[in-house]
């Protein structure tokens, strides 16, 4: 993981835990609920219907790099997925929520959307088009993929992360495309 990605992860996590955002209070958002066993292992919560989540890019993009959670929170890993994209392509909110951050972190445009079920989606590099505090609906455009070179260089991609509290989850689980892993008993 690059230093910029580590810094981005730390800032987003700190802002969400400390409430250090410019957004008004999310009074309609319920309190955080304990993560399910699937969520603790990086998968989507199977009790959450995937039909309410949509891909942030249209048409459905190819996945350039999958979710690869670290063994420990401080170790390197890939805390989201990289989706093939084109510079200027619209980025959409995957489900209803509120924009809690739209700005630059570590030299890249970042947009964070808090969802009513206690989850947060993060997107980068994105030139945000919706102000902090704005409510967004599933499928609503929140910005466009920036032409910033990054870890997919020379190609352009959108990094999509999903968090519950401080735990990153596999975004593909919310659109019905998570990798199934069988573990020994």
């Amino acid at each position: 993981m690059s230093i910029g990605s580590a810094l981005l992860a730390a800032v987003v996590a700190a802002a969400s835990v400390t409430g250090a955002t410019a957004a008004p209070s999310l009074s309609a958002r319920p309190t955080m609920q304990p993560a399910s066993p699937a969520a603790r292992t990086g998968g989507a919560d199977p009790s959450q219907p995937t039909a309410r989540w949509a891909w942030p890019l249209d048409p459905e993009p190819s996945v350039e790099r999958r979710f690869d959670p670290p063994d420990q929170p401080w170790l390197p890993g890939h805390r989201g997925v990289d989706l093939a994209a084109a510079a200027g392509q619209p980025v959409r909110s995957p489900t209803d929520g509120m924009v809690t951050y739209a700005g630059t972190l570590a030299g890249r445009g970042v947009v964070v959307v808090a969802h009513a079920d206690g989850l947060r989606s993060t997107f980068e590099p994105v030139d945000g088009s919706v102000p902090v505090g704005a409510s967004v609906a599933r499928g609503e455009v929140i910005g466009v993929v920036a032409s910033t070179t990054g870890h997919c260089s020379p190609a352009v991609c959108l990094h999509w992360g999903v968090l519950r509290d401080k735990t990153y989850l596999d975004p593909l689980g919310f659109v019905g495309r998570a990798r199934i892993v069988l573990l020994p008993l």
Side-chain angles (χ1 to χ4, degrees):
M1 175 186 346
S2 70
I3 293 174
S5 294
L7 177 62
L8 170 64
V11 171
V12 169
S16 63
V17 170
T18 63
T21 66
S25 171
L26 292 174
S27 58
R29 187 172 106 188
T31 59
M32 295 284 182
Q33 298 183 9
S36 70
R40 286 191 295 271
T41 61
D45 184 345
S47 68
Q48 296 292 327
T50 58
R52 0 182 256 162
W53 284 69
W55 288 92
L57 298 174
D58 187 32
E60 181 179 317
S62 64
V63 177
E64 300 299 308
R65 185 169 176 203
R66 297 186 72 93
F67 180 72
D68 182 19
D71 292 331
Q72 297 294 330
W74 58 88
L75 292 175
H78 194 238
R79 293 163 172 84
V81 294
D82 292 336
L83 306 174
Q89 184 173 0
V91 177
R92 301 171 185 281
S93 180
T95 192
D96 298 347
M98 179 185 292
V99 175
T100 58
Y101 185 87
T104 303
L105 287 174
R108 295 187 191 121
V110 175
V111 175
V112 178
V113 179
H115 307 293
D117 49 10
L119 298 168
R120 292 182 314 283
S121 293
T122 62
F123 304 96
E124 60 109 346
V126 174
D127 292 328
S129 61
V130 178
V132 170
S135 293
V136 292
R138 176 181 174 228
E140 185 174 338
V141 174
I142 57 173
V144 297
V145 176
S147 60
T148 308
T149 57
H151 60 282
C152 293
S153 191
V156 176
C157 68
L158 174 70
H159 180 84
W160 176 26
V162 175
L163 296 95
R164 174 177 281 126
D165 196 19
K166 295 182 198 177
T167 304
Y168 280 87
L169 307 175
D170 185 357
L172 299 181
F174 294 93
V175 291
R177 290 267 313 272
R179 181 178 293 167
I180 297 172
V181 177
L182 299 177
L183 301 175
L185 295 174

